[in-house]
Amino acid sequence: MSLNLTAAGLADQKAWEAAGYALPSYDREAMITRTKESPCWVHFGAGNIFRAFQANTAQELLNNGTFDRGVIVAEGFDTEIIRDMYQPHDNLSILVTLKADGSVEKTVVGSIAESLAADTADSPDFARLKEIFTKDSLQMATFTITEKGYSLKNGAGELLPSVAADFAAGPSSVTSYMGKVASLLYERFLAGEKPFAMVSTDNCSHNGEKLSLALTAYASAWEENKLVQPGFLSYLQNPEKVSFPWTMIDKITPRPSEQIAADLEKLGVEDMQPVITGKKTYIAPFVNAEKPQYLVIEDHFPNGRPALEKGFGVYMADRNTVNLSERMKVTVCLNPVHSATGPLGVVQGYDLFAHMLNTNEDMMKMARMIAYDEGLPVVPDPGILSPQAFVDETVQRSIPE
């Protein structure tokens, strides 16, 4: 049996299902048509966590009928991902979910309607993004570009060369990541100051604030240099026009495993081996991830939003709850356990956190002491998530080989 991860290959549904794959239960071609005509959701950052979490959330909403459109993904750093991984597979990917009991779920994710290079050197793709950003239907852009994606300065506090060049040149010839995003928002401003939500889902504190500060820096420089029409900065600073919700995300998504690639190929799926791009991105036609996931989002969307809370592990809340959830994870329930035990595990020769805890009684005892004895008594309770349940899941997580 040979399975090909393309739209044509997916037509043989019975073969995929016989091999244990869950398939999209919606009309994918109709979804793609609707999304292209009336886009709602753009995502920046086409890496592994997006495919494991945000794209799969969109698929869940499509499957349960609460959303009728998919996601348009744009990659502004490593566009090789789009050309060499997304498009040859018709924007399909396989999500391999690894559970604590050692079992595996395999899902073909088909919610990505369009993949584009956010690169001004690729004029057709960037022109398409400009068109998308003028649409009334567009409600939000989400981001997984890592914390450094929002950085405008180097360690010495000096503007990065690409940022300084973009400040001076204006929105028509941008090369920096935030410059590209700012130029797209300028298109939305010119189209009638249309409302929009800019939602960072990167794993950093006060991520919405970081995104806002980066983009308003461009708007401020461009207005000062008279490179944009007056009012662009005010547009970005008006939360009833453009919002920057804060979020807390937790989703462990390692690099694609060569062993899992071999396992998938044994089951008949062609060409699953990971590749390393010229910019050192580890990518494959599949993504492997653990089951637990959390995304708490500040519910501030000036142009409406999909019913994101209908997806597994997604919670809508106010800003204070998001902040408390982030503090719970980072200061008590997850990061301290990993930070305290991880280095010792490396010294002892473990290559996986789960193997260390599952095979070393002393390390598990230490992890439990940090989480339960030291952490839980002082943890801020966000209310929307249970610190006790979060800690229980932390020490039970396992990523099998």
Side-chain angles (χ1 to χ4, degrees):
M1 179 184 66
S2 180
L3 301 172
N4 183 260
L5 188 63
T6 61
L10 208 62
D12 191 358
Q13 292 188 356
K14 290 184 179 180
W16 282 92
E17 290 169 350
Y21 289 86
L23 302 180
S25 62
Y26 47 90
D27 184 333
R28 187 165 183 261
E29 289 305 313
M31 176 276 291
I32 291 172
T33 298
R34 280 193 299 269
T35 303
K36 288 184 175 182
E37 290 176 352
S38 300
C40 170
W41 181 357
V42 172
H43 183 89
F44 290 94
N48 293 317
I49 191 170
F50 159 68
R51 293 189 295 161
F53 201 161
Q54 288 86 351
N56 192 49
T57 295
Q59 171 137 309
E60 289 180 296
L61 302 186
L62 284 160
N63 281 342
N64 63 33
T66 58
F67 192 37
D68 66 353
R69 279 160 286 175
V71 186
I72 296 171
V73 66
E75 174 56 43
F77 172 70
D78 191 348
T79 56
E80 192 177 336
I81 297 173
I82 300 296
R83 300 295 177 227
D84 296 345
M85 192 57 65
Y86 275 75
Q87 292 178 353
H89 294 284
D90 296 326
N91 298 321
L92 293 163
S93 66
I94 294 173
L95 172 58
V96 180
T97 302
L98 310 169
K99 296 182 170 182
D101 63 4
S103 62
V104 174
E105 290 179 358
K106 303 187 297 295
T107 304
V108 175
V109 177
S111 63
I112 299 169
E114 196 171 359
S115 58
L116 300 164
D119 186 354
T120 49
D122 190 327
S123 54
D125 274 20
F126 207 74
R128 171 61 179 153
L129 280 169
K130 285 183 176 181
E131 178 189 11
I132 290 166
F133 265 73
T134 65
K135 296 283 189 177
D136 290 344
S137 60
L138 193 63
Q139 295 179 325
M140 66 180 188
T142 51
F143 293 77
T144 51
I145 61 174
T146 75
E147 186 172 2
K148 63 186 177 184
Y150 310 107
S151 177
L152 307 186
K153 297 180 179 181
N154 61 22
E158 304 161 333
L159 283 177
L160 297 170
S162 61
V163 175
D166 286 354
F167 278 9
S172 61
S173 57
V174 285
T175 60
S176 64
Y177 210 134
M178 285 292 99
K180 297 169 191 175
V181 176
S183 72
L184 293 171
L185 279 171
Y186 185 56
E187 294 295 323
R188 193 159 184 81
F189 166 76
L190 293 176
E193 299 188 29
K194 295 178 180 179
F196 196 52
M198 300 287 286
V199 190
S200 170
T201 58
D202 278 297
N203 187 21
C204 54
S205 182
H206 299 185
N207 46 19
E209 182 179 46
K210 288 178 170 60
L211 178 57
S212 173
L213 290 172
L215 292 171
T216 53
Y218 283 86
S220 178
W222 290 343
E223 284 203 6
E224 184 178 343
N225 295 329
K226 295 182 171 53
L227 297 169
V228 294
Q229 292 184 12
F232 181 44
L233 178 61
S234 297
Y235 169 66
L236 293 187
Q237 291 178 327
N238 181 352
E240 300 311 310
K241 290 288 188 178
V242 182
S243 67
F244 295 89
W246 293 12
T247 68
M248 183 281 279
I249 190 169
D250 178 32
K251 179 70 171 180
I252 295 178
T253 311
R255 291 173 177 172
S257 164
E258 293 181 359
Q259 181 59 56
I260 290 175
D263 292 343
L264 294 176
E265 288 180 341
K266 282 182 183 177
L267 293 171
V269 190
E270 300 175 351
D271 301 325
M272 287 289 105
Q273 289 300 319
V275 298
I276 306 174
T277 69
K279 291 190 174 181
K280 306 302 181 185
T281 301
Y282 291 73
I283 196 81
F286 68 91
V287 57
N288 42 256
E290 63 171 14
K291 179 72 172 177
Q293 59 185 36
Y294 301 90
L295 178 56
V296 184
I297 306 174
E298 179 186 358
D299 196 357
H300 187 189
F301 292 76
N303 199 32
R305 61 171 177 81
L308 298 169
E309 67 276 14
K310 300 293 185 180
F312 171 65
V314 182
Y315 305 83
M316 308 306 297
D318 58 27
R319 178 170 292 188
N320 184 58
T321 301
V322 173
N323 199 35
L324 288 175
S325 299
E326 196 262 345
R327 286 177 58 196
M328 178 197 76
K329 184 192 87 163
V330 172
T331 66
V332 173
C333 293
L334 183 66
N335 294 52
V337 177
H338 286 178
S339 297
T341 58
L344 292 175
V346 171
V347 171
Q348 294 180 69
Y350 294 100
D351 57 1
L352 289 177
F353 180 78
H355 286 175
M356 174 186 67
L357 293 189
N358 291 339
T359 61
N360 189 312
E361 184 178 338
D362 289 335
M363 295 303 292
M364 177 61 87
K365 182 178 179 181
M366 180 180 179
R368 289 182 173 277
M369 179 186 69
I370 293 167
Y372 290 102
D373 299 341
E374 297 180 359
L376 278 183
V378 298
V379 65
D381 189 343
I384 200 168
L385 300 174
S386 162
Q388 174 76 52
F390 199 100
V391 167
D392 289 345
E393 193 168 58
T394 296
V395 298
Q396 291 168 4
R397 289 179 179 186
S398 177
I399 304 270
E401 283 188 286

